[in-house]
Each structure stands twice: as C-alpha cells, then as structure tokens.
C-alpha cells in the first residue's frame, strides 16, 4: 500500500537538526496519556479514564484520560483563541507555517521506530506495515502540505471597465477531526496537514481503541513550536466527545473517517447545529474487475493484498472480485495458493504479515458474515475460522461462487474475507460492479488500455486503479461517490475543503 510520494529530505529548513537514529521502545515508554489542550497535558474534567488494549495479546497497555463535552468545550475555546485575528498563528506568514510542518515531519522521522511500535501495539497491525507504510505515508503527507502553505492564493477578475474583483482563500476556522482506529496515525496526518497548511486550528478526537500515537503527536506538535491551541487532542468516545465535536456551535468544519452510519449522524448533527462544513470518508464495498487478458499473477496478488491488507480492516478493501469466466477457476486456484503463504502471528515479528482484528465486536461481526456466506451457498475455498479459541486472529478467508444477493456481497465486512464472482461480458461486470450503495474505489486488471479507460469511465467510484491496488499518494485526491462520502482528502483538492473563498469587488475610477 503506497501512501505518499516525495523524498523525505525535501524542504528541511536549515535550522532544523537532522533526526537522530531510532531507539528501541517498550510499553513503559508510553508517556502521553492525558488530554492535550492549549499545548498542555490535562486531566479529564470528570476524572475519568479508559483502558486501551493490545489486540494481539489482550493485555492492557495503559489508561488514557477520557474527554467528554466539557473537555471538548475547553479544546474548542483554545483553538478559537489561537485562530483569532492578531494571534501568533494568524500573524505567522505562510512560509513559516510550512517550516513548522516540515519540522513536525522531522520529529516524526526521529521517532518513527517508537511511533511504529506503539501503532502496532495499539492496533495489532504488523510492525513492518506500521513502519514502512503508515509512518512513511504520514511523513510524506506532512511534507506535501508543508510545500502548499505559501501557494494558496486567489485570482484577480476584470469584470468590465468599472469593476474589478479579487478572490481570497481564507481559513475555515476551527476544524474538528474525528479519526478511525484502522489507520490512526496516517488519518491524523490526512486531517491536520491540509488544515494547518491553510491556517486553520484543529481539535482532534482519536478513536477510543487506538489513541496512543495521536497523543504522542501532541508532544511533537508542541516540540515543533506550534503556538498553543493550534492543535488540541481529546481522546474519548464517539457518543460523548465525538458528538460534542459534531454538535459544537464554535466548530466550523468536521472531517470524519469511519462508517457510513456514523457519517450520517455527523452530517445530521452538523446541519442541526451551525451548518458546519463536513468532509466524510466512509465505507466501501469495492469491486475489482479481472479480465482474461490480464497479467493473472499480478491480478491475484494485488486483489488479495487489497482484500487482506491490515486484516481486511480498510475502507478500500477489495471485497468484490469479478473474474472473467474463462479464467475464473485458475484465478481461484492461484488465490488459494497465494493465501497459504500469508504468515499469521505476532505483529511485532518481522515475518508476520497478518495480525488480529481490532476487538471482539469486530471479530464477532466478521465471523457472523463468514457464517452467512456458508449458509447462503457461497463456496468456502480457504480459511473461514479463528486461529484459536482465545484470540482475535481470523484466518484469511476466500469464498467463490458468490452471488450478488448474499450478505457477504452487499455488506462491508471490514475483515479478511475475499469474495470472488464470475462474469461473462464487460457490460455485465460494469453493471454488477456499480450495483452498490457504496462508491469509494475500484480496480481493473487488463492488458488493454482502451478497455481500462473505457471501463474506468463507467465505474461509479471516486478512485479507479488500473493494474494496481491501494496505490494512495499524498498528491492524489481520495474520496467516494454515493454513500462512501462527501468531499476529498489529499492532493490539491483537499485544500478547498479547508478554505473559504471571499470575493472582494472594487469600483474603478474612470480614466480621464
């Protein structure tokens, strides 16, 4: 999964020291467990904490301060003050904002081993994926938007001889960011980097299952030199802290990544409060169309990586694979052979490529959907069972003979389940691929670029990958059609989500 482009060295300011070598990390090194408001570490207003667990072992990692509505109010007040006209943040020139983002990227590079280890402990994802994908993508996202900070500008518009207009792109204001548990560090960067590049202030609520890397980022934001109140981090639960952000009258925009159902609640709350802007990156039931003229081994490997990456806990999961009838049986056979090579085990072991599900609730949901597939007549080709009776590990699972009416064909599983369908014609494949309430991503595997471009034009998804999968880059916009979301993250397109356009019109003096 490629999450960004660019070189790590790009843009480092002369006064910024090169980060030192990574150091080993232990559980006792988890030091940041409080709420981060106004560049201070504070306790919960009500004195509550909650535990975060290692899903691979079930062991408690630590207790984290639990933010609720009162704490969110304090965070919003700090963010609003930091964004006021005349504040240190607003007086800062755009180039200096970029330097701060580069400095933050330097600090993330310095702490990348620690952050990757904490991410693996908190999420259960394999360590090498945390280190080389999540951390790499996080750093490149920061550097990409650091480069945009002094390039956000409007236009001059000559209306006629009497009037001229100019446009200005101004910060939206206080931005709430509600991030998910599957990519907690990377989604933190996807939210704060464009927001800060445009001059906004931010209140971030990390997922209650995985708050630790977001809280560590609070320490780095302070160390980097961001003014107090520019970034605030409120760990807590969706119905309390998350709802407080969505309903807050002084939050001007909310960016959310998560389920479609929660996204609907956030949009409703935004409309009923102050009509705050909303960016929603939601669920997916993503189709891959594999034509007979494709590179078959590539298609097998990429669709399976798409299905099983991060234990299938991805909105981009390749969960519906439509294979042309003439190569269907060969595709299934090769997919089974490929799945047998996946190493399930300790996420901290460098050999492991498949870890546990995040928690018992997700585990039970996945197993229920696997059982529904069996009952509804799909053929279980591989996996389909827990690794043991007392763990959250599920074997990578392959179904063939899947029909469009089955639950596993319609519902977002968010687990390691690959569903393989058969099709006869291109028109049939397009029709069935589009027959979903979701429209996040899709993929096409073919050696014909004419066919690839024709099919990509017909697919109702925000992203189409051709002969690849999960190719995400900081430069490329990401978001969905239909019930997969509203707005775009990443790339230049994301800047529009974090700016207001102001038109200023001048009456010109008549020439003598």
């Amino acid at each position: 999964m490629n999450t960004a482009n660019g070189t790590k060295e790009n843009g480092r300011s002369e006064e910024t020291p090169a980060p030192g070598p990574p150091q080993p990390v232990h559980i006792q090194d988890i030091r940041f467990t409080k709420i981060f408001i106004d560049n201070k570490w504070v306790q919960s207003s009500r004195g509550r904490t909650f535990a975060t667990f290692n899903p691979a072992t079930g062991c408690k990692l630590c207790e984290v301060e639990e933010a609720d509505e009162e704490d969110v109010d304090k965070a919003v007040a700090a963010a609003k003050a930091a964004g006021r006209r005349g504040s240190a943040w607003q007086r800062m020139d755009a180039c200096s904002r970029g330097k701060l983002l580069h400095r933050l990227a330097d600090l993330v590079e310095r702490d990348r081993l620690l952050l990757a280890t904490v991410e693996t402990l908190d999420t259960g994802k394999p360590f090498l994926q945390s280190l080389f994908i999540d951390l790499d993508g996080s750093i490149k996202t920061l550097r990409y938007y650091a480069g945009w900070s002094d390039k956000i500008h409007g236009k001059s518009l000559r209306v006629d001889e009497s009037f001229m207009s100019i446009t200005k792109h101004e910060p939206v204001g206080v931005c709430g960011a509600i991030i998910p548990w599957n990519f907690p560090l990377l989604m933190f960067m996807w939210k704060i980097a464009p927001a800060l590049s445009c001059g906004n202030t931010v209140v971030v609520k990390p997922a209650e299952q995985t708050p630790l890397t977001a809280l560590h980022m609070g320490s780095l934001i302070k160390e980097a030199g961001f003014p107090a109140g520019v970034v605030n981090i409120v760990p807590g639960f969706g119905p309390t802290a998350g709802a407080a952000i969505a309903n807050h009258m002084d939050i001007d925009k909310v960016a959310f990544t998560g389920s479609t159902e929660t996204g609907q609640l956030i949009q409703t709350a935004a409309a009923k409060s102050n009509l705050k802007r909303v960016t929603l990156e939601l669920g997916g039931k993503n189709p891959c169309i594999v034509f007979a003229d494709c590179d078959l081994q590539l298609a097998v490997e990429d669709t399976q990586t798409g299905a099983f990456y991060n234990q299938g806990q991805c909105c981009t999961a390749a969960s519906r694979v439509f294979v042309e009838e003439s190569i269907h049986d060969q595709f299934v056979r090769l997919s089974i052979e490929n799945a047998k090579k996946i190493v399930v085990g300790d996420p901290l072991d460098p050999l492991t490529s498949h870890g546990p599900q995040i928690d018992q609730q997700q585990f039970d949901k996945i197993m229920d959907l696997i059982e529904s597939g069996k009952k509804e007549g799909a053929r279980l080709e591989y996996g389909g069972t827990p690794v043991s009776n007392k763990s959250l590990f599920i074997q990578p699972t392959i179904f063939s003979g899947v029909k469009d009416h089955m639950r596993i064909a319609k519902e977002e599983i968010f687990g390691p389940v690959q569903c393989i369908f058969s099709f006869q014609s291109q028109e049939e494949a397009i029709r069935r691929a589009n027959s979903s309430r979701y429209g996040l991503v899709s993929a096409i595997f073919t050696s014909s670029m004419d066919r690839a471009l024709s099919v990509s034009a017909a697919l109702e998804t925000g992203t189409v990958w051709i002969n690849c999968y999960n190719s995400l880059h900081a430069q490329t916009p990401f978001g969905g059609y239909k019930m997969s979301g509203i707005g775009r993250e990443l790339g230049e397109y994301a800047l529009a989500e974090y700016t207001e356009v102001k038109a200023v019109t001048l009456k010109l003096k008549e020439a003598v």
Side-chain angles (χ1 to χ4, degrees):
M1 186 177 186
N2 190 353
T3 53
N5 272 341
T7 58
K8 297 171 188 172
E9 296 79 16
N10 180 34
R12 180 179 293 147
S13 59
E14 292 181 3
E15 65 271 24
T16 303
Q23 300 298 318
V25 63
H26 307 284
I27 291 179
Q28 58 266 32
D29 293 326
I30 298 173
R31 298 187 293 122
F32 303 105
T33 60
K34 293 184 178 181
I35 300 166
F36 185 72
I37 297 176
D38 214 24
N39 276 8
K40 301 182 183 74
W41 297 103
V42 299
Q43 293 181 315
S44 164
S45 297
R46 299 192 181 183
R48 295 175 179 169
T49 63
F50 64 95
T52 183
F53 296 88
N54 180 345
T57 64
C59 295
K60 184 171 79 171
L61 295 171
C62 61
E63 291 281 334
V64 175
E65 295 288 328
E66 180 188 339
D68 58 17
E69 185 175 354
E70 185 176 347
D71 301 295
V72 170
D73 284 342
K74 293 176 181 177
V76 173
K80 190 172 182 179
R84 280 198 183 101
R85 189 175 185 85
S87 67
W89 180 240
Q90 290 306 314
R91 289 198 313 270
M92 187 178 295
D93 66 272
C95 182
S96 295
R97 286 204 307 270
K99 285 185 177 181
L100 281 178
L101 287 167
H102 275 305
R103 173 61 177 154
L104 184 58
D106 290 336
L107 295 173
V108 173
E109 287 200 78
R110 183 196 69 189
D111 287 2
R112 67 183 300 160
L113 181 58
L114 186 152
L115 284 163
T117 306
V118 171
E119 193 80 329
T120 290
L121 290 171
D122 217 12
T123 66
K125 64 177 57 183
F127 172 74
L128 292 183
Q129 293 178 11
S130 295
L131 183 64
F132 291 114
I133 296 176
D134 295 53
L135 264 296
D136 202 46
S138 296
I139 293 163
K140 289 175 178 177
T141 300
L142 285 171
R143 297 216 185 278
Y144 175 79
Y145 284 107
W148 266 111
S149 294
D150 58 357
K151 302 171 186 67
I152 300 167
H153 51 75
K155 299 178 180 179
S156 61
L157 311 168
R158 183 65 181 265
V159 179
D160 55 31
E161 290 185 354
S162 300
F163 294 95
M164 178 180 179
S165 295
I166 60 171
T167 61
K168 299 172 64 181
H169 291 194
E170 298 182 344
V172 170
V174 179
C175 298
I178 303 174
I179 57 178
W181 48 259
N182 56 343
F183 292 94
L185 183 63
L186 189 59
M187 295 299 102
F188 184 95
M189 302 307 182
W190 281 24
K191 302 291 187 289
I192 72 160
L196 298 180
S197 177
C198 295
N200 297 282
T201 59
V202 188
V203 176
V204 183
K205 192 203 86 67
E208 59 267 25
Q209 298 93 333
T210 57
L212 297 181
T213 48
L215 291 173
H216 187 94
M217 285 305 303
S219 73
L220 300 188
I221 284 163
K222 183 176 181 179
E223 184 179 351
F226 282 87
V230 171
V231 179
N232 307 272
I233 304 167
V234 286
F237 292 83
T240 50
I245 289 173
N247 286 285
H248 209 288
M249 295 298 291
D250 286 331
I251 288 182
D252 304 293
K253 182 250 167 68
V254 171
F256 169 75
T257 297
S259 71
T260 295
E261 293 72 22
T262 303
Q264 290 174 307
L265 294 175
I266 288 172
Q267 187 171 16
T268 299
K272 288 183 176 180
S273 53
N274 60 345
L275 279 177
K276 59 177 62 67
R277 279 203 199 186
V278 176
T279 301
L280 302 174
E281 197 272 280
L282 307 176
K285 193 66 181 174
N286 308 295
C288 302
I289 303 177
V290 181
F291 290 98
D293 65 347
C294 71
D295 179 331
L296 187 57
Q297 190 61 41
L298 172 70
V300 167
E301 292 175 359
D302 278 15
T303 56
Q304 199 158 87
T305 298
F308 298 149
Y309 183 79
N310 199 31
Q311 298 72 249
Q313 298 172 143
C314 301
C315 57
T316 61
S319 50
R320 293 189 296 149
V321 184
F322 296 92
V323 183
E324 195 162 4
E325 192 173 58
S326 62
I327 61 168
H328 173 271
D329 292 349
Q330 187 181 7
F331 184 93
V332 171
R333 177 178 59 79
L334 291 174
S335 295
I336 295 168
E337 292 176 5
N338 205 60
K340 291 178 179 178
K341 301 174 186 176
I342 295 172
V343 179
V344 181
D346 178 4
L348 290 173
D349 186 336
L351 296 178
T352 295
S353 56
H354 191 90
Q357 308 311 129
I358 188 67
D359 59 23
Q360 191 66 49
Q361 181 180 0
Q362 292 295 320
F363 177 94
D364 292 342
K365 174 191 172 186
I366 296 162
M367 291 307 303
D368 176 63
L369 282 162
I370 289 173
E371 289 304 311
S372 79
K374 297 176 186 176
K375 290 176 183 177
E376 291 183 340
R379 289 189 297 275
L380 179 62
E381 301 281 2
Y382 184 77
T385 60
V387 173
S388 73
N389 293 329
K390 296 182 180 180
S391 78
L392 298 175
F393 291 81
I394 297 175
Q395 287 182 318
T397 299
I398 301 173
F399 281 105
S400 69
V402 181
K403 305 301 180 186
D404 294 345
H405 68 273
M406 296 178 179
R407 284 184 63 198
I408 58 173
K410 296 189 297 182
E411 297 181 28
E412 186 178 33
I413 300 172
F414 228 65
V417 180
Q418 182 182 30
C419 299
I420 302 175
F421 306 70
S422 176
F423 74 89
Q424 293 182 331
S425 70
Q426 177 174 307
E427 292 72 19
E428 175 198 350
I430 292 170
R431 174 179 53 79
R432 293 171 66 191
N434 286 337
S435 63
S436 170
R437 64 176 184 155
Y438 299 110
L440 188 58
V441 304
S442 58
I444 303 161
F445 291 88
T446 177
S447 62
S448 168
M449 282 301 103
D450 287 344
R451 169 184 283 153
L453 292 173
S454 173
V455 174
S456 69
L459 291 174
E460 297 167 355
T461 60
T463 293
V464 181
W465 288 308
I466 297 174
N467 294 327
C468 59
Y469 207 87
N470 271 343
S471 297
L472 298 169
H473 306 86
Q475 300 91 331
T476 307
F478 181 76
Y481 287 18
K482 299 188 279 191
M483 295 189 78
S484 286
I486 297 171
R488 292 295 180 267
E489 296 192 295
L490 299 181
E492 182 180 359
Y493 290 84
L495 300 173
E497 310 289 349
Y498 290 94
T499 53
E500 293 282 8
V501 178
K502 177 181 287 184
V504 179
T505 300
L506 300 83
K507 182 169 175 52
L508 304 175
K509 291 183 178 180
E510 292 185 10
V512 178

